[in-house]
Amino acid sequence: GSGDGQEGDVTGKEPVHAPDGTGQGGAGSGEGAEHDVSSDAYELGRILTEKFQLPNLQDKGKKRSLTRYNYDLTNRNRGEGQVIDKKDTLKQIIKTNIGLGIIDGPEGLDPSRFIVAKRDLVYRVLAQEQDYESQAMVFFLRDYSGSMYGPPTEAIVSQHILIYTWLMYQYQKQVETRFIVHDTEAKEVPDFYTYAQASVAGGTQVCAALELVHKIVTEENLAQDYNLYIFYGGDGDDWDSDGKKSLQYLQEILTYANRVAFVIARPNRTLSNLERYLKNSELLEKHPKLLRMDTVQAPAEEEELIESLKRIIS
């Protein structure tokens, strides 16, 4: 025969999925409370999506995480292997016989005269392949200052639960969460319970929460590995009335986030500082696929929260 390489050499590899393909399957089925919570959230997300016709994500982003290994007949081997590749074997036999002068043109081909060497046989070989899935990290931010006591906090926290379950369903449980609360300063808290229950009597600066998100993302290089979602909830109060610092950090965040959404829960129809400077900035018009803002009355019924959810995720 002809060609480079020794008998038994691997001559080519093919991935199980194309580079831009979407992996299949979900998170591992571990045991314990964490698995139960994620399974319950996934199921609730499925029910919400189907019952209330929530939109499915058309583009989950390009970030992938290794979740498991698959084994498939994707490698090609010459001389030996599990399953013969008839097409590639025929090509190799023809190359060999052309090199030997047995085939010198398309006319008068006589396959009975072909010489078939062992190394002309091309096999498919069982190979270990990485299987990738899209993954998301969602930041939940909320104002926990004194003005948020009661119905506004209940509305925001309830909607954030709905958002989390929806994302769990969309990303097949591949969702990690981070929780940030703020008054004039922001801090990350360890879990949803702390996030939902925490409160202080201080003032409000939205920029503190956005600054902390941006710091975490850049220092941990999260944009490289995750599809990032940031959902903010508050009553719209902000001591920074023109939002200069908030808008500065927001524009940075929009360079890497898949979606940023602000939901204002307020007891009246008075336009808040946050709503005013977001509208005046024209960022909502410039980035309609990345940035959303919505308002709900506080207290809010579940149906109103779901309709608001549709508006910020569609």
Side-chain angles (χ1 to χ4, degrees):
S2 60
D4 299 328
Q6 299 298 318
E7 184 172 307
D9 288 345
V10 175
T11 60
K13 294 184 178 182
E14 296 176 3
V16 174
H17 303 299
D20 59 346
T22 302
Q24 296 179 353
S29 55
E31 298 179 356
E34 183 176 348
H35 171 66
D36 293 338
V37 169
S38 65
S39 296
D40 291 345
Y42 173 86
E43 183 62 19
L44 179 57
R46 182 188 66 79
I47 293 170
L48 285 171
T49 300
E50 295 174 356
K51 181 177 179 180
F52 297 102
Q53 298 181 329
L54 298 181
N56 287 311
L57 282 173
Q58 298 302 311
D59 181 8
K60 297 180 184 177
K62 299 178 181 179
K63 309 301 188 306
R64 309 283 183 191
S65 68
L66 173 63
T67 58
R68 64 183 180 186
Y69 285 98
N70 274 346
Y71 293 87
D72 208 346
L73 294 167
T74 56
N75 285 4
R76 293 190 301 276
N77 210 55
R78 290 171 62 181
E80 58 185 21
Q82 278 87 31
V83 178
I84 194 165
D85 188 318
K86 295 180 180 180
K87 184 177 180 180
D88 284 353
T89 295
L90 180 58
K91 288 180 180 179
Q92 193 60 43
I93 291 172
I94 291 173
K95 287 181 181 179
T96 296
N97 284 269
I98 289 175
L100 294 173
I102 296 173
I103 299 176
D104 57 5
E107 298 179 358
L109 287 176
D110 184 2
S112 65
R113 296 178 58 234
F114 288 177
I115 294 176
V116 180
K118 183 179 179 182
R119 62 179 288 108
D120 291 334
L121 304 179
V122 181
Y123 291 87
R124 290 284 176 171
V125 182
L126 190 65
Q128 185 187 66
E129 299 287 344
Q130 295 177 344
D131 194 7
Y132 290 90
E133 292 181 333
S134 295
Q135 65 178 357
M137 179 173 288
V138 54
F139 284 85
F140 290 113
L141 289 57
R142 78 171 184 88
D143 175 4
Y144 78 144
S145 64
S147 63
M148 284 291 293
Y149 179 79
T153 290
E154 291 173 7
I156 294 302
V157 169
S158 296
Q159 189 179 67
H160 284 181
I161 292 174
L162 297 176
I163 293 170
Y164 173 65
T165 59
W166 174 75
L167 281 172
M168 283 287 281
Y169 178 61
Q170 294 296 315
Y171 277 93
Q172 300 290 297
K173 304 181 185 178
Q174 295 295 306
V175 179
E176 295 183 32
T177 51
R178 307 287 285 264
F179 302 102
I180 292 174
V181 293
H182 81 92
D183 52 356
T184 56
E185 297 180 351
K187 66 177 181 179
E188 185 174 8
V189 294
D191 51 51
F192 189 82
Y193 179 81
T194 307
Y195 176 76
Q197 299 297 321
S199 64
V200 293
T204 307
Q205 286 189 314
V206 176
C207 66
L210 298 177
E211 179 182 9
L212 182 54
V213 169
H214 184 57
K215 179 182 179 182
I216 291 172
V217 170
T218 53
E219 288 185 354
E220 299 182 21
N221 201 23
L222 297 178
Q224 179 177 328
D225 298 316
Y226 291 91
N227 300 293
L228 298 170
Y229 295 82
I230 295 95
F231 294 97
Y232 176 91
D235 59 5
D237 280 354
D238 193 349
W239 285 6
D240 183 14
S241 59
D242 61 3
K244 184 177 180 180
K245 288 185 177 180
S246 294
L247 294 173
Q248 176 185 339
Y249 287 114
L250 178 57
Q251 290 185 73
E252 292 287 343
I253 290 170
L254 288 172
T255 63
Y256 51 73
N258 290 59
R259 176 62 56 90
V260 181
F262 293 84
V263 172
I264 291 90
R266 46 184 168 81
N268 54 58
R269 298 183 180 276
T270 304
L271 197 67
S272 66
N273 283 340
L274 177 57
E275 292 171 87
R276 185 179 297 107
Y277 67 65
L278 277 177
K279 289 181 178 179
N280 291 340
S281 72
E282 299 183 350
L283 289 175
L284 292 163
E285 290 76 19
K286 291 178 181 177
H287 305 283
K289 293 184 178 181
L290 297 178
L291 179 62
R292 299 290 173 85
M293 181 179 69
D294 197 44
T295 59
V296 295
Q297 292 294 111
E301 299 294 332
E302 183 181 73
E303 184 176 339
E304 183 181 359
L305 293 177
I306 290 174
E307 289 303 314
S308 172
L309 174 59
K310 289 181 181 180
R311 291 191 289 270
I312 64 174
I313 65 177
S314 61

